[in-house]
Amino acid sequence: YVAEDTKDDETWIFLSSKDGDLRKRDDTEKIFEKYKPTHVIHLAAKVGGLFANMAQKVEFFRENILINDNIMECSRIYKVAKLVSFLSTCIFPDKTTYPIDETMMHNGPPHSSNEGYAYAKRLIDTMNRAYAEEYNCNFTSIIPTNIYGPDDNFSIENGHVIPGLIHKCYLAKKNN
């Protein structure tokens, strides 16, 4: 969604994995060279549900680290004015007090079921500060709560919790 009141000099470009493999530096550089963005909203990630995260911790960590590193470094090289990266609620410590807020994300290990993905996402926060200190980059991140929508993954095995529960309820109603 883009607000109706965009400025005349703004051009919004929406990309998907079909436009390039952000795990590869060369693909990422080609995208930045082609579009020369002034602002980047970083939503790219290898994602999956609970069972996928438990079975592929290394892949979730490595692929997300590659994506994040390529986007952040290209944002620096191509002098992006502002980079906003999306984190995940899974970054928070498994054992914590409530309510939680962003200042608590590094106060303990995340739940072991998705630690590969969670640590890769946590490192965005660390790198935001490092890029600001070393290169004066304006990088920040936000932590949206769990959401779902029509294009979500409703798989019981590989989907997120809310869509998976919706699918289970749908199947229970259909089969009763």
Side-chain angles (χ1 to χ4, degrees):
Y1 169 80
V2 176
E4 297 288 330
D5 62 345
T6 58
K7 297 177 181 139
D8 290 338
D9 62 341
E10 288 180 359
T11 303
W12 289 75
I13 299 163
F14 300 91
L15 303 176
S16 74
S17 57
K18 294 175 185 142
D19 295 295
D21 185 345
L22 297 175
R23 295 170 298 181
K24 298 177 181 174
R25 176 57 68 82
D26 188 51
D27 281 15
T28 309
E29 287 177 352
K30 285 178 184 172
I31 288 169
F32 274 74
E33 186 60 37
K34 179 177 181 179
Y35 295 106
K36 296 181 178 23
T38 58
H39 295 73
V40 172
I41 300 173
H42 169 25
L43 299 164
K46 175 182 175 66
V47 296
L50 178 63
F51 296 114
N53 272 280
M54 289 170 49
Q56 302 171 36
K57 290 180 183 181
V58 173
E59 290 77 11
F60 275 87
F61 181 81
R62 292 191 75 248
E63 291 183 34
N64 283 296
I65 287 292
L66 289 169
I67 291 167
N68 298 337
D69 181 59
N70 287 335
I71 289 172
M72 295 178 99
E73 184 61 4
C74 283
S75 291
R76 179 189 72 81
I77 291 168
Y78 287 86
K79 298 181 181 4
V80 167
K82 184 161 194 170
L83 167 65
V84 179
S85 299
F86 276 59
L87 305 183
S88 168
T89 55
C90 74
I91 64 172
F92 289 108
D94 182 33
K95 308 292 187 224
T96 190
T97 57
Y98 293 92
I100 53 177
D101 66 40
E102 68 278 2
T103 64
M104 302 164 73
M105 83 170 72
H106 299 287
N107 289 355
H111 193 272
S112 61
S113 64
N114 59 9
E115 64 187 346
Y117 179 76
Y119 277 120
K121 286 297 192 176
R122 272 189 188 184
L123 286 175
I124 290 174
D125 178 65
T126 304
M127 293 308 294
N128 284 341
R129 288 192 305 277
Y131 271 100
E133 290 173 16
E134 188 169 338
Y135 298 110
N136 201 32
C137 293
N138 187 10
F139 295 175
T140 191
S141 54
I142 61 173
I143 309 166
T145 57
N146 290 327
I147 56 175
Y148 70 96
D151 295 321
D152 208 327
N153 180 354
F154 287 81
S155 166
I156 294 169
E157 293 82 28
N158 296 316
H160 293 108
V161 173
I162 301 297
L165 287 173
I166 291 170
H167 191 184
K168 277 187 165 185
C169 291
Y170 166 78
L171 291 176
K173 181 150 179 95
K174 178 181 165 187
N175 297 327
N176 268 342

